[in-house]
């Protein structure tokens, strides 16, 4: 007897291992085979709730990994390609898309001759893998082989549960403590396997093998869904604010849905049985459970539908970073739109804030800050510019006198100069030499850094943060910085020609300091334009070529 139990336990462990390995191979292969198509779907098909929800369902169904979809959605939010609101619906759709695994197990894995289906898939998949190199054919081969191993894992799980049903009694009662034990069992299974799909497969095969009743298996499924939140919480520890917001939304979705489903569990299970009968599906416990899993997640979407707006607003106020707070406009208020002069005052003050951050980014790049630090400053400028653009669209709808229109055009040109400052600063930071670089320190480099810093101090749009604005002093500082740049450029080329500096570090240094030169030039142009007398027409077409 003990030998049989150990054998069945080993079979259970091996089946679960094959299932997880197959799921991993299938997911990775599908992601590689799909390529950028999945990213295009997520980035473009999120215009409405329905589009975002459908994208989450479709992409998760294709790659069989809600984790991959979640990570991609968070990445798009951080990159500014998707706002938080549609990202939440992608995540909710991903929960619905994971139900496809249950249907695969119930309709295919438990119905067909596993060896007749799985072994050919593994054979074809390995052949494609060996002959495909690193291309899409190899990725498709991985997906097919993973699919086959997944089915072999299901077969071993069936075998293990078929033997265990005669020797092991799982909690199958309907009382509160029994249901709680079943839910906790689902949570623990998901924590141990790090896969709700694996927990679902175990629950399906256990129900099919007679170890669990329909209601008990449904409680395990609820626990598995709740268990996925632990992974999301762990992933969000120390992550970006948007990652933590997405994780919090994932937790809210699963916990709320699980709580409601537990309260309605007996009625849901009976309703699912009636639905299965009305749909003409076979009276198998696995099919009934797969249907419950789908309805359970669809119920979550319906519950979140009226709450999503409030949830998004609540999340936006949580997990805030200093960067995000600074990226929020402080002066743009729609109440001033009726008075163009007041609207332009607010607009110019906001553009000055963005300009201060852009100059700060250039200073950081000049001082040798890393790309991440300067990139944060660039993102602040980009977000402020987005808010400014939206405000300008609303301002431009109103009639305004010619002088106000000229003032608006001038402000937009200043904004464009400042955008270039931040972009060039970020580019210079990306070209920063490695810390262990053995490039010689050139005296002309220090001279250029000092001269460029003087320009940025004079070009800073906030008087309390920089030197007093003086046109003559600014022009003199710019001329000195350009002379220092030319001297540095000649010194770098000479160092490369004489062998003091290898060609690759020389090219890197030239590109870096060229980006810094462009940044200080654009900062100076913005400063000149800001302080030019308003009664004069701004320099018309000439500067436009400078910033294109």
């Amino acid at each position: 007897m003990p030998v049989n139990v150990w054998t069945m336990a080993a079979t259970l462990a091996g089946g679960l291992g094959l299932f997880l390995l197959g799921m991993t191979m299938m997911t990775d292969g599908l992601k590689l085979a799909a390529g950028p198509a999945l990213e295009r779907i997520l980035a473009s098909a999120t215009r409405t709730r329905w589009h975002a929800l459908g994208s989450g369902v479709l992409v998760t169904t294709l790659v069989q990994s809600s984790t991959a979809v979640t990570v991609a959605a968070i990445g798009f939010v951080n990159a500014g390609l998707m706002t938080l609101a549609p990202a939440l619906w992608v995540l909710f759709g991903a929960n619905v898309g994971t139900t496809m695994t249950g249907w695969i197990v119930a309709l295919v894995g438990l119905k067909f001759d596993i060896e007749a289906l799985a072994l050919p898939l593994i054979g074809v998949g390995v052949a494609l893998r060996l002959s495909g190199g690193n291309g899409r054919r190899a990725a498709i081969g991985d997906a097919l082989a993973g699919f086959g191993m997944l089915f072999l894992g299901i077969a071993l799980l069936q075998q293990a549960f078929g033997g265990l049903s005669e020797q092991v009694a799982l909690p199958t009662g309907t009382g509160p403590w029994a249901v709680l034990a079943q839910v906790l069992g689902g949570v623990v299974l998901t924590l141990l396997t790090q896969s709700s799909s694996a927990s679902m497969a175990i629950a399906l095969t256990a129900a099919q093998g007679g170890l669990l009743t329909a209601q008990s298996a449904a409680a395990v499924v609820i626990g598995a869904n709740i268990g996925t939140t632990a992974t999301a919480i762990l992933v969000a520890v120390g992550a970006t604010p948007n990652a933590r917001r997405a994780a919090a939304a994932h937790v809210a979705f699963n916990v709320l849905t699980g709580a409601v489903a537990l309260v309605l569990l007996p009625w849901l299970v009976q309703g699912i049985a009636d639905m299965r009968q009305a749909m003409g599906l076979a009276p198998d416990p696995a099919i009934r459970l797969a249907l419950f899993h789908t309805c359970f997640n669809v119920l979550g979407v319906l519950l979140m539908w009226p709450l999503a707006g409030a949830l998004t607003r609540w999340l936006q106020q949580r997990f805030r970073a200093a960067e995000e707070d600074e990226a929020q406009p402080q002066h743009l208020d729609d109440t001033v739109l009726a008075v163009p002069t007041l609207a332009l005052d607010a607009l110019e003050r906001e553009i000055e804030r963005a300009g201060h951050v852009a100059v700060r980014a250039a200073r950081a790049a000049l001082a040798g800050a890393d790309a991440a630090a300067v990139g944060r400053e660039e993102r602040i400028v980009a977000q402020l510019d987005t808010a400014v653009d939206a405000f300008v669209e609303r301002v431009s709808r109103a009639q305004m006198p010619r002088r106000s229109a000229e003032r608006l055009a001038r402000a937009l040109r200043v904004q464009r100069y400042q955008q270039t400052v931040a972009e060039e600063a970020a580019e210079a930071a990306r070209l920063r030499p490695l810390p262990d670089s053995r490039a010689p320190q050139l005296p002309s480099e220090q001279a250029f850094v000092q001269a460029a810093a003087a320009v940025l101090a004079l070009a800073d749009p906030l008087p309390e943060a920089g030197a007093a604005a003086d046109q003559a002093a600014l022009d003199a500082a710019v001329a000195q910085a350009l002379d220092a740049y030319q001297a540095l450029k000649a010194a770098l080329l000479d160092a490369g020609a004489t062998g003091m500096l290898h060609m690759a570090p020389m090219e890197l240094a030239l590109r870096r300091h060229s980006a810094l030169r462009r940044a200080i030039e654009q900062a100076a142009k913005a400063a000149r334009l800001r302080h030019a007398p308003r009664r004069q027409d701004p320099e018309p077409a000439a500067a436009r070529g400078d910033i294109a």
Side-chain angles (χ1 to χ4, degrees):
M1 183 77 66
V3 175
N4 291 336
V5 171
W6 280 111
T7 301
M8 292 171 190
T11 304
L12 176 62
L16 181 59
L18 273 177
F19 181 90
L20 290 172
L21 179 60
M23 179 67 72
T24 301
M25 287 185 61
M26 182 178 68
T27 297
D28 292 344
L30 288 172
K31 284 191 291 186
L32 289 173
L38 302 178
E39 296 182 2
R40 286 197 298 270
I41 292 173
L42 285 179
S44 62
T46 55
R47 296 184 299 278
T48 66
R49 284 186 176 187
W50 285 108
H51 285 96
L53 183 68
S55 297
V57 174
L58 175 62
V59 176
T60 307
T61 300
L62 288 175
V63 302
Q64 284 297 293
S65 172
S66 59
T67 300
V69 176
T70 300
V71 171
I74 292 171
F76 286 134
V77 173
N78 285 334
L81 300 176
M82 188 190 307
T83 60
L84 181 64
L88 296 189
W89 287 104
V90 171
L91 298 178
F92 299 157
N95 278 277
V96 178
T98 56
T99 63
M100 183 57 65
T101 302
W103 287 106
I104 291 173
V105 174
L107 296 177
V108 181
L110 301 179
K111 297 295 176 186
F112 293 92
D113 181 357
I114 294 293
E115 292 186 359
L117 180 68
L119 296 180
L121 283 175
I122 294 174
V124 172
V126 171
L128 291 175
R129 166 77 268 184
L130 294 176
S131 62
N134 294 320
R136 179 168 294 183
R137 180 192 297 179
I140 294 174
D142 285 343
L144 289 177
F147 208 47
M149 280 195 282
L150 182 146
F151 285 135
L152 283 181
I154 293 172
L156 287 177
L157 288 175
Q158 279 185 281
Q159 179 182 336
F161 281 122
L164 285 174
S165 62
E166 301 172 358
Q167 304 179 37
V168 178
L170 296 178
T172 58
T174 57
W177 292 110
V179 173
L180 179 60
Q182 294 150 13
V183 172
L184 289 176
V187 172
V188 171
L189 279 175
T190 303
L191 291 176
L192 291 176
T193 61
Q194 290 295 295
S195 170
S196 60
S197 296
S199 302
M200 184 68 188
I202 291 173
L204 284 168
T205 51
Q208 192 77 4
L211 269 75
L212 291 173
T213 64
Q215 182 169 320
S216 300
V220 172
V221 170
I222 293 173
N225 269 38
I226 295 174
T228 60
T229 61
T231 304
I233 293 170
L234 290 174
V235 169
V237 172
T240 62
N242 277 322
R244 283 180 278 175
R245 290 180 189 126
H250 182 65
V251 171
F253 178 89
N254 286 282
V255 170
L256 176 63
T257 307
V260 173
L262 278 175
V263 172
L264 303 176
L265 186 58
W267 297 278
L268 277 176
V269 172
Q270 184 57 48
I272 295 298
D274 297 338
M275 186 187 302
R276 178 203 55 74
Q277 189 174 2
M279 294 171 65
L281 297 174
D284 292 332
I287 291 179
R288 189 172 172 182
L289 196 57
L291 187 57
F292 172 81
H293 191 211
T294 301
C295 293
F296 166 66
N297 281 284
V298 171
L299 172 66
V301 172
L302 296 177
L303 288 172
M304 296 305 300
W305 196 269
L307 303 176
L311 177 63
T312 302
R313 290 190 295 272
W314 182 83
L315 289 172
Q316 292 283 17
Q317 300 304 317
R318 301 296 181 273
F319 315 115
R320 300 192 65 84
E323 171 190 334
E324 288 187 318
D325 287 333
E326 193 169 8
Q328 296 300 313
Q330 295 180 3
H331 305 291
L332 305 183
D333 188 343
D334 285 359
T335 58
V336 301
L337 288 175
V339 184
T341 301
L342 295 179
L344 289 172
D345 286 342
L347 187 67
E348 287 173 346
R349 286 196 295 271
E350 203 64 63
I351 289 176
E352 284 181 353
R353 283 190 65 231
H356 171 60
V357 179
V359 169
R360 195 171 68 198
R363 283 173 166 164
L366 195 64
D370 59 29
V374 181
R376 282 193 294 271
E377 307 283 33
E378 184 193 17
R379 287 193 295 273
I380 293 173
V381 175
Q383 291 181 48
L384 287 174
D385 286 340
T386 300
V388 165
D389 291 342
F391 189 78
V392 167
E393 288 183 4
R394 298 194 292 275
V395 169
S396 60
R397 293 172 191 158
Q399 293 291 330
M400 62 177 66
R402 179 180 177 182
R403 183 169 296 179
S404 295
E406 292 172 350
R407 186 178 165 192
L408 176 61
R410 182 192 312 217
L412 292 179
R413 289 175 58 202
V414 170
Q415 178 200 19
R416 184 65 188 91
Y417 285 135
Q418 294 173 170
Q419 286 175 344
T420 307
V421 173
E423 291 166 0
E424 295 294 344
E427 176 66 15
R430 284 190 287 270
L431 296 170
R432 188 176 67 128
L434 296 175
D436 60 347
S437 174
R438 293 178 173 80
Q441 289 294 319
L442 302 173
S444 53
E445 182 175 6
Q446 187 61 29
F448 170 71
V449 168
Q450 292 175 351
V455 174
L456 294 174
L458 292 168
D460 196 318
L462 297 183
E464 66 273 15
D470 180 272
Q471 184 69 50
L474 179 63
D475 290 342
V478 170
Q480 185 177 356
L482 293 180
D483 288 343
Y485 170 75
Q486 293 299 332
L488 173 60
K489 181 178 177 180
L492 286 170
L493 291 171
D494 183 66
T498 58
M500 289 178 56
L501 193 61
H502 292 299
M503 297 304 294
M506 183 197 75
E507 290 288 345
L508 185 70
L510 286 171
R511 291 169 56 200
R512 168 180 160 76
H513 290 97
S514 178
L516 290 171
R517 173 189 58 80
R518 289 191 296 271
I520 63 171
E521 284 181 327
Q522 298 296 307
K525 288 177 182 178
R528 292 190 190 103
L529 197 56
R530 270 196 311 271
H531 298 291
R534 287 183 181 175
R535 65 178 180 272
Q536 296 178 358
D537 289 333
E539 40 176 336
R544 241 173 261 136
D546 294 333
I547 61 174

